[in-house]
C-alpha cells in the first residue's frame, strides 16, 4: 500500500481554508490528524488530489473545558487527560480514552472523530481485494455486498465521541461560505442519509469546535464500548448515557448508540417517557429491552448483528444501573 501524490495546502485561518475549498469543488478533503483519512488513502478509498490541512489554524486548537469549549483540532489525548472533563463530562473523557491506541489518540482529533469515515468489512480493504469482488457503492462500484437488493450503503458509523457528546447535549459550530452556525451534535448526522452521505454538512464546511453545556454538576454520565481487541479496535457497539435526578425522579435521561448503524443515534423516543419517573430496576430492564429492539445492525463488521443487538440491551442496562443513585 502506498500513498499517491497530492497537493497539500496549509491555511492559517478558517476563512483561508474555506477559500481553498471553494476553489477546488469536489476535489479536496480536509486533513486533521490524518489517522483515518490517510490509511483510507493508502487503500485507494475515494482519493482526492487536494488536501487542506487544518493543523496551522490556531482557532481550532482552543481547549477551554471549564467554559465548555473544545476546538475541532484538540487531540483525543487532551480530552482523556482533562480533570475537568473526567469530573463533569465523564462519558466524553471515557469515550476519548477508548479510541484506538495511545499513539492514535496523540494525533487523532475531535473533529476527525465526529466526521470519521463509516466502516464496512467490504470497504476497509486494499484496492486489489475490493477489485476482486467488483468494488461496491461506497468506492468505485455500483452494488452493495451486504444488502445487495438495496441501492444504499450500510457502512457503520464507528466514532466513539459522537454518542458521548449527544447525551451531554453538545452542539457543534460549523463554518461555511455563508457564515457560521451551531447545531446539536445529534443533528449533525443525516437521518435520511446512509453510509456514504452521513452528515448534514454542506460540501466545504469546516467543523470549528464543540460546545458542551457546563451544567450544575448534578449530571452523571458514562460510556462503554464493545470491541474485539480492547486495546485497539473500533466499536462494534458504543453506549453513552447521561442521567440527572431530582427528588428521586428522573429530571433528564439520554442514551445514544454508536457502532451499530450508519449514524449514531440519540434514543430520545425511548428515554423521554421516563422523565419524572423513578428509575426502578424494572424500568431500567424495560427501557433496555426497548432500545435493543429498535436497533438494526447489519453483517458488515466482525461480530454478528444478533450478538451486537443483544449486547446493546446488556450495555444499556449496565450503564443505567451504574448511573442510578443507590437507594
Ligand atoms: C488503528 C486504528 C484504530 C482506530 N480505532 C478507533 C476507535 O476505536 N474509535 C474511533 O472513534 N476511531 C478510531 N480510529 C479512527 C481515527 O483514528 C479516529 O476516529 C480519529 O479521531 C480521527 O481523527 P483525525 O484527526 O485523525 O481525522 P482525519 O483522519 O484527519 O479526518 C477524518 C475525516 O474528518 C474530516 N475532518 C477532520 N476534521 C475536520 C474539520 N475540522 N472540519 C471538516 N472536516 C474534518 C476529514 O476530511 C476526514 O474526512 C482508529 C484509527 C486507527 C488507525
Ligand atoms: S455496506 Fe455495501 S455499499 Fe456500503 S461499504 Fe459495505 S459493501 Fe459497500
Amino acid at each position: 500500500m502506498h500513498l499517491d501524490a497530492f497537493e497539500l495546502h496549509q491555511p492559517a485561518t478558517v476563512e483561508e481554508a474555506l477559500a481553498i475549498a471553494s476553489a477546488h469543488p469536489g476535489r479536496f478533503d480536509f486533513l486533521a490528524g490524518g489517522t483515518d483519512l490517510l490509511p483510507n488513502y493508502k487503500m485507494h478509498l475515494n482519493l482526492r488530489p487536494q488536501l487542506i490541512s487544518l493543523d496551522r489554524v490556531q482557532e481550532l486548537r482552543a481547549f477551554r473545558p471549564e467554559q465548555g469549549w473544545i476546538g475541532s483540532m484538540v487531540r483525543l489525548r487532551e480530552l482523556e487527560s482533562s480533570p475537568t472533563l473526567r469530573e463533569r463530562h465523564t462519558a466524553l473523557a471515557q469515550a476519548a480514552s477508548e479510541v484506538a491506541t495511545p499513539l492514535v489518540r496523540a494525533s487523532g482529533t475531535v473533529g476527525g472523530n465526529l466526521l470519521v469515515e463509516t466502516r464496512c468489512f467490504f470497504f476497509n480493504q486494499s484496492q486489489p481485494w475490493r477489485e476482486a469482488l467488483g468494488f461496491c457503492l461506497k468506492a468505485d462500484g455500483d452494488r452493495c455486498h451486504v444488502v445487495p437488493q438495496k441501492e444504499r450503503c450500510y457502512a457503520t458509523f464507528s466514532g466513539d465521541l459522537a454518542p458521548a457528546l449527544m447525551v451531554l447535549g453538545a452542539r457543534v459550530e460549523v463554518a461555511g461560505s455563508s457564515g457560521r452556525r451551531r447545531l446539536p451534535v445529534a443533528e449533525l448526522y443525516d437521518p435520511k442519509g446512509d453510509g456514504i452521505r452521513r452528515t448534514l454538512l454542506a460540501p466545504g464546511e469546516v467543523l470549528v469546535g464543540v460546545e458542551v453545556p457546563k451544567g450544575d454538576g448534578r449530571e452523571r454520565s458514562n460510556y462503554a464500548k464493545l470491541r474485539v481487541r480492547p486495546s485497539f479496535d473500533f466499536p462494534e457497539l458504543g453506549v453513552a448515557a447521561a442521567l440527572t435526578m431530582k427528588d428521586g425522579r428522573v429530571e433528564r435521561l439520554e442514551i445514544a448508540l454508536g457502532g451499530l448503524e450508519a449514524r449514531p443515534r440519540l434514543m430520545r423516543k425511548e428515554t423521554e417517557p421516563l422523565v419524572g419517573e423513578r428509575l426502578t430496576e424494572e424500568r431500567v430492564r424495560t427501557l433496555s429491552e426497548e432500545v435493543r429492539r429498535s436497533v438494526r445492525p447489519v453483517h458488515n463488521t466482525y461480530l454478528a448483528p444478533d450478538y451486537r443487538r443483544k449486547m446493546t440491551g446488556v450495555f444499556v442496562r449496565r450503564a443505567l444501573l451504574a448511573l442510578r443513585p443507590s437507594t
Side-chain angles (χ1 to χ4, degrees), residues 30 32-37 100 104 109 112-113 115 159-160 207 225 233-234:
F30 290 116
T35 61
D36 189 54
L37 192 73
V104 173
T109 66
N113 196 275
L115 300 175
D160 283 297
L207 210 151
K225 165 174 178 175
D233 278 323
F234 282 86

Side-chain angles (χ1 to χ4, degrees), residues 80-91:
E80 69 175 306
S81 54
S82 158
T84 307
L85 292 189
R86 285 198 165 276
E87 191 188 319
R88 283 195 208 157
H89 305 305
T90 313

Side-chain angles (χ1 to χ4, degrees), residues 120 122-123 136-138 144-146 153-155:
C120 170
F122 298 94
F123 174 73
C136 81
L137 281 174
K138 192 164 162 67
C144 174
H145 305 294
V146 179
C153 168
Y154 290 79

Side-chain angles (χ1 to χ4, degrees), residues 215-229:
D216 58 9
R218 287 183 303 129
E219 182 175 71
R220 300 181 69 206
S221 65
N222 59 23
Y223 179 78
K225 165 174 178 175
L226 173 69
R227 52 180 160 172
V228 178
R229 293 165 294 183

Side-chain angles (χ1 to χ4, degrees), residues 155-177:
T156 305
F157 179 85
S158 305
D160 283 297
L161 297 193
L165 287 167
M166 283 175 166
V167 299
L168 296 172
R171 299 197 308 156
V172 285
E173 181 170 312
V174 171
S177 51

Side-chain angles (χ1 to χ4, degrees), residues 116-121 124 138 153-159 195 198 234-237 258-263 297-301 308:
V116 70
E117 189 56 89
T118 50
R119 297 182 65 78
C120 170
F121 182 76
N124 300 104
K138 192 164 162 67
C153 168
Y154 290 79
T156 305
F157 179 85
S158 305
R198 54 200 194 282
F234 282 86
E236 294 275 338
L237 159 68
L260 290 169
E261 299 167 352
R263 68 181 171 108
V298 295
H299 204 174
N300 63 356
T301 63
R308 285 153 72 208

